[in-house]
């Protein structure tokens, strides 16, 4: 379990760093679509390099089941990304980032339905506490339109399906090392996503400078995903997402550091009330992680 927890925390740290790099890119080029396209292409190259490097340590199952799961994983991820951008049309980015915490509740229900094994009541408490903390970290309030709520639900469900399939793909790998298995699965998935992104170059003109500017984001995100897959393969998608929610705490600390260094164009200033709320939600999030970990020792899962 330790390797999964450490992997999840390191992934959360790298993801928080990648958000900063994404802001730097968007501030310079004024385009989130360009960021997605060129980062996906670069990560596709990373995936192509990763696959042969992992082959001495693991191998992909030559089964239709594995191929179908990989296809479903890629499609659910693409659907989730589409839902994310559609939701952004209805909900502010800061609120949407917090609302992603609801994915933990959906994953808990999916896990319970698919495995037909109910979660311990302490695990449910931990799931609810983590969701409340993730939402409360940056949530600004206000009503969400029906259209926004439907797109939000679609995004959360498709992302949750993707997370669960990722964990299953790693379990089906035939290597002796969880690290190699998770890295190989991440490499294959992002190689496929890179290929699917190639037609987008018809809309975005290729420029070497864009590849150079997006490289810090792509590299930190790709490494974060490898560690995330390691986390899911080790401790499962539900507990993995609870650990991953720590990126909210890390992002707050990173934002405070950026403000201290004078990078206000990357992290807007907020009032003392918001900082107090973030601190309280951070404490709740840490408590939820400890509670879920303790509950696992009681039920053995």
């Amino acid at each position: 379990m330790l390797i999964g927890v450490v992997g999840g925390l390191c992934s959360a740290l790298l993801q928080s760093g990648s958000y900063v790099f994404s802001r730097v890119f968007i501030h310079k080029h004024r385009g989130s679509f360009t960021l997605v396209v060129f980062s996906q292409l670069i990560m596709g190259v990373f995936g192509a390099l990763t696959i042969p490097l992992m082959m001495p340590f693991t191998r992909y199952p030559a089964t239709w089941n594995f191929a179908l799961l990989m296809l479903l994983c890629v499609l659910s991820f693409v659907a989730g990304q589409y839902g994310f951008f559609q939701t952004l049309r209805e909900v502010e980015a800061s609120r949407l980032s917090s609302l992603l915490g609801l994915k933990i509740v959906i994953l808990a229900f999916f896990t319970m339905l698919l495995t037909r094994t109910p979660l311990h009541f302490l695990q449910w408490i931990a799931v609810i506490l983590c969701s409340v903390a993730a939402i409360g970290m940056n949530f600004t309030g206000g009503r969400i339109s029906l259209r926004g709520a439907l797109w939000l639900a679609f995004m959360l469900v498709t992302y949750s399906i993707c997370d669960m399939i990722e964990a299953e793909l790693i379990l089906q790998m035939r290597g002796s090392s969880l690290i190699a298995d998770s890295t190989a699965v991440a490499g294959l998935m992002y190689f496929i996503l890179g290929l699917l992104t190639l037609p987008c170059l018809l809309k975005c003109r290729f420029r070497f400078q864009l590849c150079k500017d997006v490289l810090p984001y792509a590299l930190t995100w790709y490494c974060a995903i490898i560690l995330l897959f390691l986390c899911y393969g080790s401790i499962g998608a539900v507990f993995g997402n609870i650990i991953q929610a720590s990126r909210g705490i890390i992002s707050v600390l990173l934002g405070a550091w950026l403000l201290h260094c004078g990078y206000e164009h990357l992290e807007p200033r907020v009032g003392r009330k918001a900082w107090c709320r973030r601190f309280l939600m951070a404490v709740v999030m840490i408590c939820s992680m400890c509670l879920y970990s303790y509950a696992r020792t009681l039920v053995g899962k």
Side-chain angles (χ1 to χ4, degrees):
M1 183 177 77
L2 180 60
I3 189 174
V5 172
V6 173
L9 291 173
C10 291
S11 175
L13 176 61
L14 286 172
Q15 281 189 351
S16 297
S18 73
Y19 295 152
V20 176
F21 289 129
S22 70
R23 292 173 197 168
V24 172
F25 182 92
I26 292 174
H27 180 76
K28 182 176 181 178
H29 296 285
R30 306 291 179 183
S32 57
F33 181 76
T34 305
L35 170 69
V36 172
V37 170
F38 281 88
S39 64
Q40 206 66 67
L41 289 172
I42 290 177
M43 288 188 285
V45 174
F46 290 162
L49 296 174
T50 299
I51 294 172
L53 288 175
M54 290 298 105
M55 285 303 92
F57 310 103
T58 186
R59 61 191 180 93
Y60 299 105
T63 63
W64 283 109
N65 183 51
F66 183 86
L68 179 59
L69 283 175
M70 179 58 71
L71 176 61
L72 290 175
C73 187
V74 170
L75 290 177
S76 59
F77 176 79
V78 172
Q81 287 288 84
Y82 180 75
F84 177 81
F85 286 112
Q86 289 296 320
T87 310
L88 272 178
R89 296 173 180 265
E90 309 291 330
V91 183
E92 307 94 287
S94 58
R95 293 174 69 193
L96 181 56
S97 176
S98 298
L99 288 169
L100 280 168
L102 290 172
K103 186 176 69 168
I104 301 170
V105 177
I106 295 176
L107 275 168
F109 274 110
F110 278 0
T111 300
M112 185 178 65
L113 291 173
L114 293 176
T115 63
R116 297 185 180 180
T117 305
L119 295 180
H120 193 277
F121 79 97
L122 289 180
Q123 289 177 307
W124 274 115
I125 293 175
V127 166
I128 294 171
L129 285 177
C130 189
S131 300
V132 170
I135 294 172
M137 193 72 70
N138 291 296
F139 192 68
T140 56
R143 296 186 63 179
I144 299 176
S145 66
L146 176 60
R147 179 183 174 85
L150 291 174
W151 277 118
L152 175 65
F154 174 81
M155 176 193 69
L156 293 173
V157 169
T158 49
Y159 273 156
S160 297
I161 292 173
C162 182
D163 286 353
M164 296 193 70
I165 296 176
E166 287 165 358
E168 179 60 29
L169 285 169
I170 295 168
L171 292 177
Q172 290 194 17
M173 290 294 289
R174 297 177 178 176
S176 57
S177 167
L178 182 60
I179 295 175
D181 291 345
S182 56
T183 303
V185 170
L188 180 58
M189 178 178 170
Y190 274 83
F191 173 65
I192 296 172
L193 287 169
L195 292 177
L196 294 177
T197 308
L198 284 173
C200 294
L201 289 176
L202 297 174
K203 187 174 182 179
C204 296
R205 186 168 60 89
F206 182 84
R207 283 188 289 159
F208 180 76
Q209 185 61 42
L210 288 175
C211 294
K212 182 181 177 181
D213 290 342
V214 84
L215 184 60
Y217 167 78
L219 183 59
T220 50
W221 182 263
Y222 186 75
C223 292
I225 291 299
I226 290 176
L227 290 169
L228 177 63
F229 279 32
L230 173 64
C231 174
Y232 287 169
S234 176
I235 60 178
V238 178
F239 193 23
N241 267 271
I242 289 178
I243 297 297
Q244 270 282 294
S246 63
R247 66 180 175 269
I249 303 173
I250 297 171
S251 294
V252 168
L253 296 174
L254 190 57
W257 179 74
L258 288 171
L259 285 173
H260 177 73
C261 294
Y263 295 104
E264 295 188 19
H265 62 290
L266 298 178
E267 183 66 28
R269 290 190 178 275
V270 296
R272 181 176 298 179
K273 184 178 179 180
W275 282 111
C276 290
R277 184 181 72 245
R278 288 175 176 181
F279 175 77
L280 177 61
M281 293 300 102
V283 172
V284 173
M285 190 173 289
I286 293 172
C287 290
S288 71
M289 294 178 197
C290 295
L291 182 60
Y292 197 96
S293 180
Y294 171 71
R296 279 172 62 95
T297 64
L298 299 178
V299 298
K301 64 182 180 68

